[in-house]
Amino acid sequence: MAATCLLRLHLRSGAGRRATMAATPSHRSRLIATSMGCHQRYSTTVSATIATGPSAVLPVLDISPYMEEASAGQHAREQTARALDSACRDPGFFYLVGHGVPNSDIENLHVLAKRFFALPQERKEEIALSHCPQSGRGYQRLGENVTQGRKDWHEAIDFYAERTEKEVDLRVFLEPPASLAMDGMEQLRPFVLGRNQWPDEPQGFQAVAETHFRRMADVGGALMRAMADAFGLPG
């Protein structure tokens, strides 16, 4: 068995952001990636103000050579790996294109999320996170999320890619860099192996979300292979 990352789908009703960015909407979807995660954005150009420097345009990285490895040449993958290395070392943020995630998938997910948040409160509470807080999955009411000791004033619903014990070896958390004690590893079990709470409404939510998980897992795998090549690690 091997350790695996969990994909998180965090949908929220508010539009709060933790970084100041200006974006021009368009019909072309890009993924903005940082060291903290991957989020969807719709834009043509984005300017980000860095606290220690002037305004800069984020680099755009084409990941298609790693999404279509059978048809892409070694030279194209090397170029992508070098571009990824540069983007991670310098600005630390980059736009990802060539990922193959249809814009319609993202739009459908947004539509379904809006429909869910528009439901009566008692319907949303049917899949409340409080039913199984150890799993980290479910609906959170206004102010229930807390970030750095402060309440987040938005509703949210969290899903994670579901894994089985055959897919995840929790013993890796006993080793560096995590170096957890055995009881700490056991505390992770209900989260890592938890099951999602899916709403009955809106219809089709689960199918759309799980399709999105599969596609984003492919994108994550491509990024990991590109990063491994950038570090010169064996394939």
Side-chain angles (χ1 to χ4, degrees):
M1 294 187 295
T4 183
C5 295
L6 288 181
L7 287 172
R8 182 194 188 199
L9 177 58
H10 177 74
L11 302 170
R12 59 187 183 184
S13 59
R17 293 177 182 170
R18 295 176 187 164
T20 302
M21 292 190 178
T24 303
S26 77
H27 294 295
R28 184 180 186 186
S29 69
R30 293 179 178 178
L31 301 179
I32 182 170
T34 73
S35 59
M36 297 300 292
C38 205
H39 308 273
Q40 285 84 32
R41 289 286 185 270
Y42 297 97
S43 66
T44 50
T45 58
V46 171
S47 295
T49 302
I50 310 300
T52 56
S55 179
V57 176
L58 300 181
V60 177
L61 177 69
D62 182 3
I63 196 66
S64 61
Y66 283 90
M67 298 294 296
E68 306 162 0
E69 290 186 279
S71 58
Q74 179 66 26
H75 178 68
R77 289 194 296 275
E78 289 175 353
Q79 283 188 313
T80 298
R82 285 196 297 269
L84 176 61
D85 182 70
S86 176
C88 290
R89 291 177 185 275
D90 190 9
F93 298 79
F94 57 90
Y95 271 109
L96 202 63
V97 298
H99 47 72
V101 179
N103 198 57
S104 58
D105 278 16
I106 300 171
E107 290 174 345
N108 287 341
L109 198 54
H110 288 175
V111 167
L112 291 170
K114 289 179 181 179
R115 290 177 183 170
F116 173 81
F117 289 120
L119 291 173
Q121 187 65 27
E122 60 270 19
R123 295 302 309 275
K124 292 181 285 189
E125 294 283 354
E126 291 174 0
I127 61 164
L129 174 66
S130 57
H131 294 165
C132 188
Q134 297 89 349
S135 75
R137 296 159 165 87
Y139 167 74
Q140 301 113 64
R141 68 181 66 87
L142 193 69
E144 188 173 350
N145 265 306
V146 176
T147 303
Q148 295 182 345
R150 300 179 64 182
K151 291 183 176 180
D152 293 332
W153 293 109
H154 61 254
E155 298 173 278
I157 180 170
D158 277 320
F159 306 107
Y160 286 83
E162 296 180 343
R163 299 292 183 234
T164 66
E165 295 211 38
K166 291 183 178 180
E167 296 175 292
V168 182
D169 186 356
L170 292 173
R171 292 173 299 180
V172 299
F173 294 108
L174 300 175
E175 304 169 358
S179 301
L180 295 180
M182 185 64 72
D183 59 343
M185 183 198 76
E186 288 302 320
Q187 289 175 13
L188 283 176
R189 186 177 297 277
F191 171 70
V192 175
L193 303 178
R195 303 290 95 180
N196 289 319
Q197 301 187 77
W198 295 105
D200 293 330
E201 295 182 73
Q203 189 174 5
F205 203 150
Q206 181 175 352
V208 171
E210 289 182 336
T211 296
H212 187 69
F213 271 134
R214 288 192 293 271
R215 287 183 168 140
M216 291 305 297
D218 290 342
V219 176
L223 272 173
M224 292 296 289
R225 293 191 297 275
M227 288 180 179
D229 285 349
F231 281 121
L233 300 175

